Structure formats: structure tokens, C-alpha cells
Amino acid sequence: MVSALGIQLGVVGAYLVVALAVGLLAYRLTSRDAEDYYLAGRSIGTVVLLFTTFATLLSAFTFFGGPDLAYRAGPEWILVMGVMDGVLFAILWYVVGYKQWLVGRAHGYVTLGEMLGDRFGSTRLRAVVAGISLFWLFPYVMLQQMGAGEAIVGLTNGIVPYWAGAAGITVFMIAYVVIAGLRGVAWTDTLQGLFMLGVVWLAVGWVATAAGGPTALSNALATNNPEFLALGGGLYSPQFIISSAVTIAFGVAMFPQINQRFFVAKSSAVLKRSFALWPVLVVLLFVPAFILGTWAAGLGISVPEGANVLPVLLNEYTPVWFAALVIAGAMAAMMSSSDSMLLSGSSYFTRDLYRPFVNPDASEAREAWLARIGVALFATLTFVASLFRPGTLVSVGDTAFGGFAQMALPVIVALYWARTTRTGMFAGILGSQAFYLAHVFVPAVEVGSMTLFGATYLTWDYALWGMALSALLTVGVSAMTAAAPEENQSRFTDGLRAD
């Protein structure tokens, strides 16, 4: 008779094999030039673009961190990630993404740094954008490995250790990205996105039925966690909700794996349909995932040290094979984020650092293979870092979101204001990064009645103040400085057409 552990590992392993098979198929259809490897030849249609962006965002932060936060602090996280961020990112998809698609299509850009470096005539700016992006990408890739380790611990009740889960997903995502390129990533993301939507709603129905129905679940929540039935309070102050929603949405727009999606649509109609449908897709997945975390609190689920609430809840109220199926969906979410992050990170390294500064004459074939080596090295380093578990899934993810968010407003200013100068961009990007890094790594200091390097100023998160500083420095310094002769102020305006 097959043991529960055998069933659990078999279901998860079978899913990974299917995903790898899709990658191998895509490899046969992918040309060996860099644009096809990174951007799928700019040929992605509406359904695939929507689901590849969707699945890329549904990382361990959302699929494990979100339910954990709902379990510990209440269901208002649905407002942040499920509603506010769904709408905010759809707006940014248009404000940043549509303009970036027009510019990228006209000039053949592959990365954000390449686009900004060309506009401002500066390889140094290109390197700064790439370097900052890779710096903040590191903890977010690490987050996926942490999530995989916690998922395996929770699913197998600790029989399989944390490090084995983290190592397993690391090996798989290296193999997948090295083989497939973006075309394979996009195809698999579509499969994974549909898979996740299906199983998470099945999980809600199964748990609700096994626990006695929605009324019984509401009564259990009212008895054990009555504060969860009132909006706000505790962690969820208005400032926390707004700060989290803004920094996550703006940070997402600057994620390499998301930002590159703005270049890949085959037409403006594809891009516009995708951002119009985005909020609906987000609500359909985030609401059930976070509800499961909230129900777990009401049901009195006890989560072991180092585990996650979702697999523990499912092990308690659903069959072994179904719990493993849902965790396979969560692993799919982590792989979707990880493979896209590694692929985009490798393009930032090869296109914005290696080619401009080391080997300008590198062939595209050499660049593609260097990217594959970079993927393996980067993923190995993040795996080692994940073993130290520097924080919770939400805290690590939130730090990365905030770091990326510091770049968003300077980029938006550059896209829409022709008077933006190179000096203004350096001031806005580097100034806000210095401010943000100081608050991440420097302990709070009490100076009289004031706290320096604290988590908030006037009750608002320091990440929001850093974003405001980035806009102020970009606009202010640009207004006081002249454009250098090599800057091309018309690069983002001339010759752009929708189709």
C-alpha cells in the first residue's frame, strides 16, 4: 500500500515533470537569438500574456505569505492584495506598460536599463538600474525557495526537511529556465495559472464542506477570533493598508520579470485587454487563498514551527492526494515566479552589465549561454541564503517590493516628461535607494522625541517617503540641470505608433 508520504511526493513530482515537458517542447520552437530567448520574439497573445504575468506574480509571498498573514492578523489582507493592488497594478500596466511597449517596439529594447540607458545616453545609468534590480531580485528569489521549504515541511509533517524542499525547487527552476527561455516560461505559466485557479477554489469548497459549511466556519471564527470579523484594527491600520498596497503595486511594475512582460505583447490590443482583465483574475485567486488562511484561524489549526498554514489546514480537512495537489499548485506559483525572475535577471546581467562593460562584441549565442550560467549561479547563491531564513515570507517580500518601488516614479517621470535629465535620474534613483537601504539595514536611533531610521514617519511607512523623495529629486534636479549632448529627449516620443 502506498504511504501518505509517497502519495504527497508523487503528486508534486508528477506536476513538475509535466511542467518540464512543456519547457522541452518550447525549447524545440525557440530560436537561439537573445530576443526570442528573453522576449519570445515579442509575439505573446492576450491569454498567454495575462496568465504569464499572473502566474509570475503569484509567488510564495502571495500563495503562502498571504494566507499566513490572514491566519495571524485577519482577512483584511484581501483588501491590500486582492482588491487595491489588482486595480492599482492594472492602472500602472497602462501608465508604465503601454508607453514602455510603444518605446520598446520602436527601438527593440529588451530591458528597462537598456531603454533608460539609450534615452539618457549613459551606460552607467543602465548599469545602475540593472545592479539595483538584481540586488532586490536576490531576496525575492530566495523567498520562493523559503516558501518551497516551508511547504514541504507542512505537507509532510516535517518528514521531509526544509532544506530538501528549497533544494528541490532550486534544481528544477535552474533546469527549466536553462532549457526553455521565455516562450517555455510563458506556456507553462498559462498551464500553472489555470491549474492554480482551479485547485484553490476546489480547496475552498472541500474545506467548507468538511468543516460543516460556511455558517459553521463563521461561528468558529466568531468564537475563536471575533476581532477578525471587524474591519481594521491591530495590524491593519489605514496607513498600513495604503502603504502596503502602493509599495507592492509600484514595486511590481519595476520587477524585472514583470517589467519585461511590458515588451512582449504582439499588439496594443493584446496589452490593453490584458490589463483590463487583470483585476478580475487577481480577485479570483487571492480571495479564496486568503479566506483559507482566515478559516484556519477560526478552526484552531496549530501550525508547527517552520511550516505554513495552508498545507497544515489541507492535511486536516482534505484527503492526502488533494492536499498534495494544492501544494503542487503552490509550488507552481513559486516556479512561475522563480523561472521568470531568473530569466529576467540573467538578461539584466548579460545585456546591461556584461555586454556594455566586458564584451561589447559578444555574439547572441554567447550571450544566451552566459545567461544560462548566470541563472545557475544566482539560484545557487539564493538557495544558500534561504537556509538562514532571514525573516517571514511577508517581511522578506515586503522589503523587496519597497526596494523596487523606489525606482518607479523616476521611470514614470522619464517616460512622460521630456525635460527629465540624466543627472535628475541619477539623483532620484540613487537618492531614494540610499534612503531606503539606510532604513532597512540601520537600526532605529532615538534623537530626543524623534526616531531616525524607524519603520514609519508620521505613521506612514518609510518606503512611501522614499518614493516621494525619488520623485522630488528627479523632477527638482532635472529642472535645475541641462541635458547632456548625448541625451535623446525625443526617444520616448518620436515615431511611436500603436500598431
Side-chain angles (χ1 to χ4, degrees), residues 20 23 73 226 348 460:
L20 186 59
Y348 277 45
W460 293 94

Side-chain angles (χ1 to χ4, degrees), residues 61 112 128-140 243-244 246-257 348 394-411 428-441 461-471:
F61 180 83
L112 176 65
V128 164
V129 170
I132 290 171
S133 298
L134 290 171
F135 180 84
W136 292 117
L137 194 63
F138 190 94
Y140 210 72
S243 296
S244 297
V246 170
T247 54
I248 290 172
F250 279 82
V252 162
M254 293 295 107
F255 268 25
Q257 72 275 17
Y348 277 45
V394 170
S395 64
V396 172
D398 192 54
T399 300
F401 282 126
F404 280 110
Q406 306 308 308
M407 291 199 295
L409 294 181
V411 170
I429 292 174
L430 293 177
S432 61
Q433 287 293 326
F435 174 88
Y436 187 76
L437 283 166
H439 286 78
V440 170
F441 293 109
D461 193 282
Y462 62 81
L464 281 187
W465 292 105
M467 291 177 65
L469 178 64
S470 73

Side-chain angles (χ1 to χ4, degrees), residues 241-421:
I241 291 173
I242 294 171
S243 296
S244 297
V246 170
T247 54
I248 290 172
F250 279 82
V252 162
M254 293 295 107
F255 268 25
Q257 72 275 17
I258 299 299
N259 195 269
Q260 278 194 319
R261 294 307 194 269
F262 297 152
F263 290 128
V264 305
K266 66 180 179 182
S267 70
S268 61
V270 166
L271 199 68
K272 290 175 182 177
R273 282 195 297 265
S274 298
F275 66 68
L277 292 169
W278 176 260
V280 177
L281 204 56
V282 166
V283 168
L284 284 175
L285 183 79
F286 284 11
V287 169
F290 300 162
I291 282 176
L292 287 171
T294 306
W295 285 352
L299 291 169
I301 294 294
S302 178
V303 181
E305 182 69 26
N308 182 274
V309 67
L310 202 57
V312 176
L313 172 69
L314 295 173
N315 273 338
E316 185 75 22
Y317 285 92
T318 68
V320 170
W321 65 267
F322 184 77
L325 192 64
V326 177
I327 298 311
M331 298 285 278
M334 291 179 283
M335 288 185 299
S336 294
S337 284
S338 300
D339 54 29
S340 297
M341 288 178 211
L342 292 170
L343 181 64
S344 295
S346 68
S347 70
Y348 277 45
F349 171 71
T350 57
R351 306 279 293 193
D352 298 330
L353 297 173
Y354 176 77
R355 186 181 283 273
F357 295 99
V358 179
N359 188 359
D361 300 320
S363 66
E364 291 201 334
R366 180 180 179 84
E367 180 184 326
W369 279 109
L370 183 65
R372 289 171 166 90
I373 294 170
V375 162
L377 179 61
F378 196 84
T380 301
L381 291 174
T382 56
F383 164 67
V384 172
S386 75
L387 299 178
F388 294 92
R389 306 178 76 176
T392 66
L393 298 180
V394 170
S395 64
V396 172
D398 192 54
T399 300
F401 282 126
F404 280 110
Q406 306 308 308
M407 291 199 295
L409 294 181
V411 170
I412 294 172
V413 170
L415 285 170
Y416 286 94
W417 189 37
R419 273 280 293 114
T420 311
T421 66

Side-chain angles (χ1 to χ4, degrees), residues 7 14 50-51 81 128 133 142 163 170 178 254 310 365 382 398 468:
I7 293 173
L50 184 63
F51 272 101
M81 292 292 292
V128 164
S133 298
M142 177 185 70
W163 68 264
T170 302
V178 166
M254 293 295 107
L310 202 57
T382 56
D398 192 54

